[in-house]
Each structure stands twice: as structure tokens, then as C-alpha cells.
Amino acid sequence: MSAVPEFGDGTLGRIETEVALLMRLGEATRRATGAREHRVLDRAAYVILRHLADAGPRNVSALAARLNLDGSTVTRQVTAMERAGLITRAADPRDGRGTVVSPTDAGLDRVAAVRAARTRLYGDILAGWSAEDRTALAGMLERLNSALAAHVQRR
């Protein structure tokens, strides 16, 4: 078991502060952005549809586990998304008793619109950064997300 870092470590304190600000400002930026594309999906629907688009059909339990969410939460979100025509349910080919969810064309279109709008937004925000700095940021965020995911999976 690793030692708990002391609060006196200035670098770790800065990281904690910057991650907290990143999460707050990321959501504030999404809400404040005037582009309609940013609001065609709520955050939960976007994350679920992005995962399904990348990974293919999943049952709700697998989806909840992958997204580190409670199964009942994902079930409610999936039900709302199904009513909105963003996903469909089908019999699980591995276990006919269960179902899997898949994105519809409308769901995929909305994900693509949000992703494109976010990409343009970050392009504008980071326009003054060098290509090397943008690449370094992408790599560091990927490493941070991997470390966070590994931490959650160990719990």
C-alpha cells in the first residue's frame, strides 16, 4: 500500500485544485456555449452513446461497470434515451434472456454533432497553443484518465 501524500506537497495540491477547476469549468463551458450542438445531448447520454459507438452493443450491467455507474442509474438513463429515439434494445445474442442496447442513427448523429462542436470549441480555446503543447496535453489527460480508471477498478 502506498503512503498517503502530505498536504504540504505543493505539486499535488496544485493538481487537486486544477482538476477540480477543470471539472467545474468544463461543465460551465458546455452550459455557456451558445452553439446548439453542445446541447443536443446531456452529459450522461453523450458518454453512454460515445461508449456504445466505440464498443458496440452492451448490456446495461456491462455499460454501468465500464462507466463506473450504478446499474439503476444507467437503466434510468437508457430508458430515457430509448424514449428519445437515441438507442434501441435487442435480445442479447449471448443470452436470449437479456438485452443489449445500441445507438440509433439519430443517437450517432447527435454524438457526432456534439463531438464536432466540442472539437471546434477546444480548437478555439487552444488556438494559441503550439501543436506540441496540444499533443502533450492530450497525452497527459489520457494518462490521468487511465490512472483514474485503474484506481476506480481497484476499489
Side-chain angles (χ1 to χ4, degrees):
M1 188 155 154
S2 63
V4 175
E6 294 294 323
F7 287 148
D9 183 330
T11 301
L12 292 178
R14 283 181 54 207
I15 291 168
E16 184 280 327
T17 298
E18 295 303 327
V19 169
L21 287 171
L22 175 65
M23 292 185 326
R24 185 182 62 78
L25 288 170
E27 182 60 21
T29 300
R30 185 191 68 78
R31 285 191 319 267
T33 300
R36 179 190 170 290
E37 294 92 355
H38 287 272
R39 291 197 263 299
V40 298
L41 287 174
D42 65 30
R43 183 177 49 208
Y46 180 74
V47 170
I48 289 170
L49 286 167
R50 279 289 307 265
H51 178 69
L52 292 172
D54 293 342
R58 292 287 180 263
N59 66 41
V60 171
S61 297
L63 193 55
R66 174 61 178 94
L67 299 176
N68 299 303
L69 295 169
D70 182 72
S72 64
T73 299
V74 174
T75 297
R76 282 191 303 276
Q77 292 168 337
V78 163
T79 299
M81 293 168 64
E82 185 176 26
R83 276 192 228 117
L86 302 174
I87 61 164
T88 59
R89 293 181 197 248
D92 188 335
R94 292 177 302 233
D95 178 3
R97 297 171 293 169
T99 61
V100 293
V101 293
S102 302
T104 63
D105 288 343
L108 292 174
D109 288 346
R110 287 194 193 179
V111 165
V114 172
R115 189 173 190 184
R118 287 180 177 183
T119 299
R120 285 190 304 274
L121 174 66
Y122 285 115
D124 292 344
I125 291 169
L126 301 175
W129 292 37
S130 70
E132 293 81 15
D133 283 349
R134 289 191 307 269
T135 299
L137 175 62
M140 291 293 189
L141 288 171
E142 185 175 7
R143 283 180 65 192
L144 176 60
N145 282 328
S146 293
L148 289 168
H151 176 77
V152 169
Q153 288 173 355
R154 286 192 304 264
R155 299 285 167 195

